[in-house]
Amino acid sequence: MALTNLRQQAESDLEHTLEGSFALPVILISPDGLELSVTGQVLYDTVKDNPETGAQIVVNHPAVTLRRSSLSQVPLPGERWFVKIPTSPSETGTLIDFVIDSDRPPEGGTSIGFIRLYLRKAEQTP
Amino acid sequence: MMKFRAAKASIEEILIAGSADCYRVIGYQHQQTGADEVDNLNRTVQVFYSSGDFPKSSGRLTGSTQHDIIYRLDLMVSAQTQGDVSTLNSPMSLPAEKSIALDAFLEAGNVADNSLDELIELIYQVLMDPQNYDMGQTKGTVSSRWIDQVQKDQPIDRGELVVLTASMFMRLRTSEDITGESGTAGDIQEVVVDIEGDEVEKTGVIIND
């Protein structure tokens, strides 16, 4: 189907920018327990301000950016989702366990066609 | 060494002896501690001599002086979100089971808070144990000791982990002595006293200067 406007074009471009050569496998488990396997952009580090010193620091705080149209169910603020991403930027890397950071709701929206999830590491209860 | 320094070292030894691998006692750090270095049972305790009070009478020339000491113990823990990850990762789990497992997850801040409470309890029990009344010093050195305050800080978001710190303040009363300077023994001076006319028995006096 021919694209009629720039917004549709921009959304279509997400297939390349988020799900193209730089994409990594991402597995999501929704609050209903349903598993979604998609690909998306995974960034492992985030630049933040150290609240104690005010200086900028780089912390291990992964963020996953996904194309909304590729998701059968889109995470909503306040929902708890389980997320698995590779340990390193490799399609065949071991997947490690995270949950969506409850202190940072998902960013993005329908207008821009993608959603960014900030992750918090998860471990087995002893 | 003054007693406040000896007592500080003793407090560290007592904490190490009572750790049971539930925490670590650390000293001076070259750089800021990473959040992943203090997760779970790697939580840390650091002891500082925080302040001391001496009465006005400590200015007298002789005798020992009372020293009211405050030691600060800095506690640090970090934690991840915890839950039944094995159920979520199991291909045999049903969606309903995964949903229940997800719902039961504990937030990292909650886990860190519980961990810090447990650490505070451990430290308090070790230091306030009656067997440690003398804080590892000779009996009578410590006239009293007690933990009078615990102060928790706000959780710090460190990306994947949450860090939580607290300070415990321990008061201890002891006495300090002024060691001063020890005198140096002088050379032995031999003095011979000649009495006029006494040619046979020369009389001498030895003076130690």
Side-chain angles (χ1 to χ4, degrees), chain A residues 29-35 48 50-53 57 59-62 80-82 84 96-99 101-104 119-126, chain B residues 32 36 39-40 79-89 94-96 98-100 102-108 111 156-162 165:
Chain A
I29 297 180
S30 72
D32 303 322
L34 300 173
E35 185 169 304
K48 303 182 74 172
N50 187 336
E52 295 175 333
T53 63
I57 55 175
V59 297
N60 293 325
H61 196 176
R80 179 172 286 140
W81 285 62
F82 192 69
K84 294 169 72 74
I96 48 176
D97 307 321
F98 294 88
V99 294
D101 188 347
S102 58
D103 294 328
R104 294 193 70 173
L119 306 181
R120 183 86 75 188
K121 212 167 189 180
E123 65 176 1
Q124 177 67 41
T125 304
Chain B
Q32 194 172 15
D36 55 349
D39 65 341
N40 296 322
Q80 306 175 22
T81 307
Q82 276 187 357
D84 189 359
V85 172
S86 58
T87 296
L88 291 164
N89 284 327
L94 300 172
K98 292 184 180 181
S99 177
I100 292 171
L102 260 177
D103 202 44
F105 261 67
L106 290 177
E107 296 295 337
V111 177
I156 301 171
D157 187 349
R158 282 284 186 267
E160 296 178 341
L161 304 169
V162 168
T165 57

Side-chain angles (χ1 to χ4, degrees), chain B residues 168-189:
Chain B
M168 298 178 73
F169 295 91
M170 179 172 178
R171 291 180 181 271
L172 186 146
R173 174 171 288 180
T174 184
S175 63
E176 306 284 5
D177 298 302
I178 302 299
T179 55
E181 241 182 69
S182 301
T184 304
D187 296 331
I188 296 175
Q189 302 292 326

